[in-house]
Amino acid sequence: KIRTMFDSCRPHKNFIKLVDDSRSEFCACNKNYITRKLVMEAHRRKIQIIPWVVDTKKDYKAAKRKGVDGIFTDYPELFTKI
C-alpha cells in the first residue's frame, strides 16, 4: 500500500485543514512546532502526526506526551529499548 504524506516545516493556522484537504494519511512536522492541540485536531480528522527529527530521549518523551503517532530520528538505536 502506498501512503500519502504531507511534509511541513512549520504548522500555521488552518494547517490541519490543509493536510486533510490534501488527503494525506500522515503529516511530518518539525518537532518544535507540534502541540497537543495540533495532534488532537489531526486525530479528529484521522491524520497521524510524525515529528522530525527526534534525536534525544528528552525530545522523545515530549513528543510522546503530545500524543504523536511515531517519530523520525537519525538515531533509532536510542529508542529500541524505550
Side-chain angles (χ1 to χ4, degrees), residues 3 5 10 17 26 31 37 39-40 45-46 48 50 60 63 65 71 73 75 77-78 80 82:
R3 297 185 69 203
M5 176 185 85
R10 185 175 187 177
K17 182 179 180 330
F26 69 98
K31 71 179 183 294
K37 183 178 176 181
V39 173
M40 288 171 53
R45 295 176 185 244
K46 303 203 183 323
Q48 295 180 332
I50 303 176
Y60 172 81
R65 276 193 308 273
I71 61 168
T73 183
Y75 305 104
E77 65 277 2
L78 291 177
T80 56
I82 294 180

Side-chain angles (χ1 to χ4, degrees), residues 34-53:
I34 293 179
T35 64
R36 181 72 183 139
K37 183 178 176 181
L38 181 125
V39 173
M40 288 171 53
E41 177 62 24
H43 287 171
R44 276 194 287 278
R45 295 176 185 244
K46 303 203 183 323
I47 298 167
Q48 295 180 332
I49 298 292
I50 303 176
W52 52 264
V53 173

Side-chain angles (χ1 to χ4, degrees), residues 17-34:
K17 182 179 180 330
L18 246 158
V19 178
D20 196 24
D21 290 348
S22 75
R23 295 182 172 209
S24 296
E25 297 174 79
F26 69 98
C27 179
C29 306
N30 183 303
K31 71 179 183 294
N32 297 318
Y33 299 107
I34 293 179

